[in-house]
């Protein structure tokens, strides 16, 4: 009897193990590889690697092993045959085989052609991302401005159910310039640290023109000017804004001081479903606009340009409206970041809309005020009050 019980337990263990492995393979991710970096982003979390993405002959090469891991391939399903110089990746019933120096690769024994061949650099196999990503059901986007390859899937948004928003998960986030972590207060009053995947940054334009028309290099004087305006010493300002906590931009639209925060992890922390946010390296799209999964706002990278798609509910006709954000959507290390100024706030603007009274994409909540950036302390509090 004991042997039978042990056999049943072992069988169940194997079933659950296989289910667990299958679940890992079935996960869909967003991954970002930036040229020259020995790390990549997977779902807003930084992962290190012993290789770096590079460009050769106009093509961007990513390390095959880490691309597979970023897409959700189990490490045991990434194999290398040193004799045949062949790499094999398997996930969800799809097996890919790539051979060094050959432009033919195989998908479940079906021969396919590439316009380049995989190569070895510093002991790692590289190839352009799209051949692996598309075979596993992903899309690939290259952003030349940010030198980033973004691998993503088409989302299937959750429907708010004709209500402007989703259940609230948090009421407050406090973020300090130069920190990668936000302190989140959840709906029950508990606090935790959220890894945003990228440092929050004070962003300033490189140059500005003074009243006399003279062009000033703001990057060289802003600490002194802030010290005067805030009645602080320059050394005190440097304590608040050490190296790595601010970013000087040559983008002429970024000439207003603002704190920039990573949008996606913070929006998810407040309750926007992961499935309702899509980032493809060029556009940040947030679904759920006007109470329907068919409505969305789409914002262009490194620009204030945005587009609202109205759904065909509540008398809507499915039309689109051109609009703009207060600050350009900044992309740092492939991650989309939105600006929060001292009197205007793109983060809340993307979550809230005025419609009679203030309704939120997060059901049952209103914004307390525009979220003021505390310049003197280098901290931005995002506060949302439940009804």
């Amino acid at each position: 009897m004991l042997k039978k019980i042990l056999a049943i337990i072992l069988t169940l263990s194997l079933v659950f193990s296989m289910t667990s492995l299958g679940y890992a393979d079935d996960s869909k991710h967003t991954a970002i590889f930036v040229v020259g970096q020995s790390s990549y982003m997977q779902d807003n979390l930084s992962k290190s690697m012993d290789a770096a993405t590079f460009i050769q002959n106009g093509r961007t090469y990513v390390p095959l092993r880490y691309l597979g891991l970023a897409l959700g391939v189990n490490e045991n399903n990434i194999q290398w045959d040193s004799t045949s110089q062949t790499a094999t990746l398997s996930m969800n019933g799809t097996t890919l085989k790539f051979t060094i120096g050959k432009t033919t690769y195989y998908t479940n024994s079906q021969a396919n052609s590439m316009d380049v061949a995989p190569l070895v650099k510093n002991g790692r196999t590289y190839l352009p991302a799209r051949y692996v990503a598309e075979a596993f059901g992903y899309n690939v986007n290259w952003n030349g401005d940010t030198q980033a390859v973004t691998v993503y899937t088409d989302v299937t948004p959750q429907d708010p159910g004709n209500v402007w928003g989703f259940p609230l998960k948090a009421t407050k986030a406090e973020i300090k310039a130069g920190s990668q972590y936000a302190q989140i207060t959840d709906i029950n009053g508990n606090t935790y640290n959220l890894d945003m995947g990228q440092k929050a940054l004070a962003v300033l334009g490189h140059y500005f023109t003074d009243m006399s028309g003279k062009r000033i290099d703001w990057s060289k004087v802003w600490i002194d000017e802030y010290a005067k305006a805030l009645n602080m010493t320059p050394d005190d300002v440097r304590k608040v804004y050490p190296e790595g906590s601010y970013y000087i931009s040559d983008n002429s639209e970024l000439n207003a001081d603002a704190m920039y925060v990573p949008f996606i992890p913070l929006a998810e922390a407040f309750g926007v479903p992961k499935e309702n946010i899509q980032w493809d390296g060029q556009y940040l799209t947030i679904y759920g606009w006007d109470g329907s999964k068919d409505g969305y706002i789409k914002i262009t990278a490194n620009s204030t340009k945005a587009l609202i798609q109205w759904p065909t509910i509540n008398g809507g006709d499915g039309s689109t409206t051109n609009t703009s954000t207060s600050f350009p959507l900044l992309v740092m290390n492939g991650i989309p970041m939105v600006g929060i100024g001292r009197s205007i706030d793109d983060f809340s603007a993307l979550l809230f809309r005025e419609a009679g009274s203030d309704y939120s994409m997060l059901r049952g909540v209103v914004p307390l005020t525009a979220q003021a950036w505390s310049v003197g302390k280098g901290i931005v509090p995002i506060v949302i009050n439940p009804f």
Side-chain angles (χ1 to χ4, degrees):
M1 177 62 71
L2 180 59
K3 288 183 178 180
K4 288 184 178 180
I5 293 174
L6 290 173
I8 292 171
I9 292 173
L10 179 59
T11 301
L12 289 173
S13 298
L14 288 171
V15 169
F16 284 126
S17 296
M18 291 172 66
T19 303
S20 177
L21 287 173
Y23 177 79
D25 281 353
D26 287 339
S27 299
K28 292 297 183 181
H29 305 281
T30 296
I32 301 169
F33 292 82
V34 179
V35 172
Q37 291 193 3
S38 57
S39 64
Y40 65 94
M41 299 298 300
Q42 183 194 54
D43 302 332
N44 304 307
L45 293 177
S46 179
K47 305 289 182 76
S48 61
M49 54 185 181
D50 58 1
T53 301
F54 66 91
I55 296 177
Q56 181 171 298
N57 298 325
R59 301 301 299 273
T60 304
Y61 287 79
V62 298
L64 180 60
R65 176 176 179 270
Y66 293 103
L67 174 62
L69 293 174
L71 300 181
V73 180
N74 189 284
E75 189 158 12
N76 293 330
N77 293 330
I78 302 174
Q79 299 174 350
W80 170 252
D81 185 330
S82 58
T83 302
S84 63
Q85 296 280 283
T86 298
T88 303
L89 296 84
S90 299
M91 182 170 69
N92 297 336
T94 297
T95 297
L96 306 177
K97 290 182 180 290
F98 298 90
T99 301
I100 300 302
K102 300 201 175 206
T103 57
T104 299
Y105 71 100
Y106 293 87
T107 306
N108 292 341
S109 301
Q110 174 69 44
N112 305 281
S113 295
M114 300 181 285
D115 59 352
V116 294
L119 56 84
V120 173
K121 183 176 180 179
N122 297 327
R124 283 291 178 199
T125 302
Y126 285 83
L127 79 169
R130 76 179 181 90
Y131 299 105
V132 177
E134 290 178 356
F136 286 136
Y138 284 82
N139 302 312
V140 180
N141 200 323
W142 162 252
N143 189 322
D145 292 335
T146 61
Q147 297 282 282
V149 176
T150 302
V151 183
Y152 66 99
T153 56
D154 293 324
V155 298
T156 303
Q158 294 185 31
D159 201 313
N162 205 19
V163 177
W164 191 269
F166 300 92
L168 181 66
K169 290 185 177 179
T171 60
K172 182 180 180 182
E174 188 169 275
I175 307 142
K176 191 174 190 315
S179 176
Q180 187 170 311
Y181 296 88
Q183 186 179 72
I184 305 294
T185 302
D186 69 20
I187 195 67
N188 299 313
N190 302 310
T191 61
Y192 65 93
N193 287 327
L194 172 71
D195 186 342
M196 300 183 293
Q198 164 65 37
K199 293 178 181 179
L201 296 170
V203 176
L204 305 112
H206 202 145
Y207 299 99
F208 77 99
T209 303
D210 67 11
M211 297 296 291
S212 67
K214 182 180 179 182
R215 196 174 189 225
I216 306 296
D217 187 343
W218 181 241
S219 68
K220 294 180 179 178
V221 300
W222 77 273
I223 288 180
D224 291 335
E225 293 300 315
Y226 267 44
K228 293 176 187 176
L230 300 169
N231 197 26
M232 298 169 65
T233 68
D235 284 342
D236 285 338
V237 174
R238 290 187 184 92
K239 290 176 183 177
V240 177
Y241 298 101
E243 288 292 332
S245 68
Y246 58 89
Y247 172 68
I248 307 297
S249 172
D250 288 323
N251 185 334
S252 61
E253 291 186 291
L254 288 172
N255 57 7
D257 55 12
M259 176 87 85
Y260 269 79
V261 298
F263 177 79
I264 296 175
L266 284 170
E268 290 180 16
F270 277 106
V272 179
K274 176 180 179 180
E275 297 84 0
N276 287 61
I277 305 172
Q278 180 169 288
W279 169 241
D280 65 6
Q282 298 278 4
Y283 300 100
L284 174 65
T285 307
I286 307 155
Y287 293 87
W289 212 247
D290 205 28
S292 171
K293 67 180 181 179
D294 298 321
Y296 60 80
I297 182 168
K298 178 184 285 188
I299 311 149
T300 304
N302 297 312
S303 169
T304 59
K305 293 179 182 178
L307 179 75
I308 292 176
Q309 172 68 58
W310 299 99
T312 54
I313 63 170
N314 300 326
D317 60 1
S319 63
T320 59
T321 300
N322 289 316
T323 186
S324 62
T325 53
S326 298
F327 303 100
L329 179 69
L330 180 65
V331 181
M332 296 293 293
N333 298 320
I335 297 174
M337 302 178 69
V338 298
I340 298 176
R342 280 175 281 182
S343 60
I344 49 179
D345 174 7
D346 277 346
F347 182 82
S348 292
L350 294 175
L351 299 184
F352 307 107
R353 160 181 177 261
E354 302 232 353
S357 59
D358 286 334
Y359 285 100
S360 163
M361 285 189 74
L362 310 170
R363 182 182 301 144
V365 301
V366 294
L368 180 63
T369 60
Q371 310 306 329
W373 169 25
S374 175
V375 180
K377 295 180 180 178
I379 293 173
V380 58
I382 299 172
V383 182
I384 300 174
N385 273 358
F387 282 124

